[in-house]
Amino acid sequence: MIDHVFDATTGATILNIFLLILCLYPVMGSFFWFCGSLSYRWLRSEKADSNWKVLPPEKQPMVTIMIPAHNEEIMIADTINYLFKELNYQNFEVLLMDDGSTDKTAEIVTELEEIYPRLRMIHIVKNKGKAHAFNIGMYFAKGDYILSNDADTIPEPDALMKYMNYFIHDRDLNTSAVTANMDVQNRTKLLAKSQTVEFSSIVGVIKRSQAAINDSMYAYSGANTMYRKNFLIDVGGFRQDRATEDISIAWDHQAIGAVPRFAPNIVFHMNVPETIPDLYRQRKRWARGGTEVWLTNIKKFIFHPIKRRYQLSMFIDSTLSIIWSFFFLITTAIFFITIIYFFMTGNWERLLHSIEMSFIFVNFEMLAGFMQLLAALILDHHGAKLKYLLFAPWYMLFYWMINPITVVMTFIPAMKTIFGRGSGTWKSPERKKFTK
């Protein structure tokens, strides 16, 4: 009888601890990334990344800038012209993968091939996705280093030179890829301006933290990342049936012991969604890709935790994020049902108490988000984005709400992918020309 009571008490205690962790997960996560980003700044000496050197033409490794493009007629000419006219690097080529475009993308690039001898285009008859296009182009690339450059992305003029400084030292022999620091190009609308904060506070801070802790990285930036071609071949290229090739390749690289690098001193500019539907579609793809990677690797971490110890923190965070997403939606539904019940029954004391408790919890989340954002905005671009600080926590709250919705909505499609029914085909969002 005593053993039975003890077991029940122990089980209840464990359950309560687990529920408490889920409740506090956003707050703890924000403080964790806050401390991690500061560790990167002071322990990893972020200033050292700025001490890059200019390589003379005869010592510049060959780089292939690969642009997978599907119906990119609006901005493909601007992107290619920029790459050839503005980059401060000589030993590179541009390889455009026309992934089954049905617009004038191919015609525009054909005309540009007459202007730029180092521009080549490969036609893929049927659109099968960015990963498929990249895998084909990988074997046509002349460079030992491949820069994945989206059609709506322009890297800073010194980007290639800075990228190569992460590969040329003896200590860099195990570096598989270097991913750059994203900045938003189209800031004409409130939603796009908000994402400027997000990519600093969420993407930038998390990448700094993961790099500082154990040289891990949850995801590369698919829009602009430099890969060592040998490491792409070593893992068999990109997974073509995944929604996000940049997440899956990052995990595959780290599974073989390769080291990813984050380069906060390399800035690239890209267009982001300007409407809620476009943003939701983008985040659904990201959430599905993250869940696919988690499902793919779950056995490896459960049965070989010591072997995967350097990526264990990344796996634990992914696990908590997925579980918390379901927990958040379920508890939110229960909360609103309870509020309605108290209102309908006239239980004003319980109604007021519930609202007060939720208000306190939300403010703790916003405080944690504020700390994370403060660290990010100070570190990123030398504090140039501090003007967004007061607005930022509200976007953080919005992000915390939309993220669990996309995770839950895409969990079943992600499982279908794992069982062999996934597809990596893609459709570019609505594009606009770069603003000058």
Side-chain angles (χ1 to χ4, degrees):
M1 181 67 178
I2 295 177
D3 290 340
H4 178 74
V5 173
F6 178 78
D7 291 341
T9 303
T10 303
T13 302
I14 293 174
L15 178 61
N16 288 333
I17 292 173
F18 182 68
L19 291 176
L20 180 63
I21 291 173
L22 288 178
C23 287
L24 297 178
Y25 169 72
V27 178
M28 293 188 301
S30 290
F31 280 111
F32 180 81
W33 301 131
F34 170 75
C35 296
S37 62
L38 294 182
S39 298
Y40 182 87
R41 172 63 178 83
W42 299 111
L43 300 181
R44 288 301 180 99
S45 186
E46 187 170 330
K47 289 183 179 179
D49 295 335
S50 301
N51 298 327
W52 57 278
K53 62 181 180 180
V54 176
L55 301 175
E58 65 273 11
K59 292 187 177 181
Q60 294 176 4
M62 179 64 177
V63 175
T64 295
I65 302 177
M66 192 178 299
I67 307 177
H70 175 69
N71 292 344
E72 301 285 4
E73 64 179 5
I74 293 178
M75 58 200 335
I76 194 61
D78 288 344
T79 300
I80 292 175
N81 284 324
Y82 175 90
L83 294 174
F84 280 108
K85 292 179 179 180
E86 301 296 332
L87 291 183
N88 299 326
Y89 199 91
Q90 296 185 27
N91 194 18
F92 75 92
E93 64 167 349
V94 175
L95 182 61
L96 187 130
M97 307 301 299
D98 178 27
D99 191 18
S101 296
T102 56
D103 62 357
K104 295 182 180 180
T105 297
E107 298 176 27
I108 294 171
V109 178
T110 299
E111 294 176 359
L112 291 172
E113 283 181 305
E114 299 296 324
I115 302 174
Y116 304 114
R118 289 179 291 162
L119 172 63
R120 293 185 292 149
M121 177 171 55
I122 296 176
H123 297 277
I124 301 174
V125 176
K126 185 178 180 181
N127 171 26
K128 292 187 178 181
K130 182 178 178 180
H132 176 261
F134 207 106
N135 286 342
I136 293 176
M138 184 169 62
Y139 293 97
F140 287 90
K142 296 179 181 179
D144 292 326
Y145 302 90
I146 299 176
L147 177 67
S148 172
N149 194 97
D150 281 359
D152 65 339
T153 301
I154 53 173
E156 63 170 293
D158 290 325
L160 292 188
M161 198 71 72
K162 290 181 179 180
Y163 270 125
M164 292 315 307
N165 274 260
Y166 286 86
F167 289 103
I168 59 178
H169 306 98
D170 291 340
R171 65 177 182 270
D172 302 324
L173 292 176
N174 206 33
T175 299
S176 56
V178 178
T179 193
N181 197 2
M182 177 186 165
D183 199 9
V184 175
Q185 174 75 16
N186 55 322
R187 302 183 189 179
T188 56
K189 294 185 178 180
L190 179 61
L191 191 61
K193 291 179 181 178
S194 302
Q195 290 170 79
T196 301
V197 175
E198 175 186 355
F199 286 109
S200 292
S201 64
I202 297 173
V203 178
V205 164
I206 290 176
K207 281 182 166 58
R208 282 181 173 90
S209 300
Q210 291 172 339
I213 294 168
N214 51 17
D215 285 328
S216 64
M217 189 175 297
Y218 175 79
Y220 300 140
S221 172
N224 208 256
T225 293
M226 177 84 79
Y227 297 94
R228 196 190 298 267
K229 186 164 69 174
N230 287 343
F231 276 103
L232 289 176
I233 296 173
D234 287 346
V235 296
F238 293 89
R239 294 177 183 258
Q240 296 178 186
D241 60 346
R242 297 297 190 258
T244 50
E245 82 294 334
D246 47 354
I247 300 178
S248 61
I249 193 69
W251 286 62
D252 289 343
H253 273 161
Q254 291 164 91
I256 63 171
V259 177
R261 296 290 302 277
F262 175 55
N265 64 318
I266 305 176
V267 179
F268 68 93
H269 307 272
M270 66 173 290
N271 282 339
V272 296
E274 294 185 329
T275 65
I276 294 294
D278 283 343
L279 179 66
Y280 180 68
R281 282 192 291 269
Q282 181 195 63
R283 299 313 160 92
K284 279 183 65 178
R285 185 174 66 85
W286 290 3
R288 176 181 165 185
T291 303
E292 288 171 354
V293 169
W294 180 76
L295 291 170
T296 300
N297 290 277
I298 188 169
K299 283 185 178 180
K300 299 176 183 177
F301 283 94
I302 291 175
F303 294 107
H304 304 284
I306 303 301
K307 184 178 180 181
R308 310 289 179 186
R309 62 189 181 279
Y310 294 114
Q311 295 83 45
L312 190 60
S313 61
M314 188 170 66
F315 174 75
I316 292 174
D317 180 62
S318 298
T319 303
L320 287 174
S321 177
I322 292 171
I323 296 175
W324 178 81
S325 297
F326 284 90
F327 173 79
F328 173 79
L329 292 186
I330 292 172
T331 53
T332 300
I334 294 174
F335 172 76
F336 282 110
I337 291 173
T338 304
I339 289 295
I340 294 172
Y341 173 77
F342 290 152
F343 179 81
M344 297 297 293
T345 57
N347 194 339
W348 309 116
E349 182 179 352
R350 295 293 300 274
L351 175 64
L352 182 61
H353 178 72
S354 298
I355 294 175
E356 288 175 348
M357 293 301 296
S358 64
F359 179 78
I360 293 172
F361 181 71
V362 168
N363 274 275
F364 267 110
E365 287 191 344
M366 293 184 69
L367 175 62
F370 182 84
M371 296 294 292
Q372 178 178 332
L373 289 162
L374 179 61
L377 296 177
I378 291 175
L379 292 175
D380 216 24
H381 304 297
H382 306 288
K385 299 179 182 178
L386 277 171
K387 60 185 178 181
Y388 297 109
L389 183 59
L390 294 178
F391 167 76
W394 295 100
Y395 182 77
M396 197 76 170
L397 192 62
F398 168 75
Y399 173 85
W400 275 332
M401 288 189 291
I402 196 172
N403 186 58
I405 294 173
T406 56
V407 169
V408 172
M409 293 296 292
T410 58
F411 191 81
I412 298 301
M415 291 187 66
K416 290 181 179 179
T417 297
I418 301 304
F419 288 109
R421 297 176 59 188
S423 172
T425 56
W426 55 300
K427 180 181 179 182
S428 299
E430 183 181 349
R431 303 295 197 198
K432 292 183 179 180
K433 284 185 173 292
F434 288 119
T435 56
K436 301 295 184 181

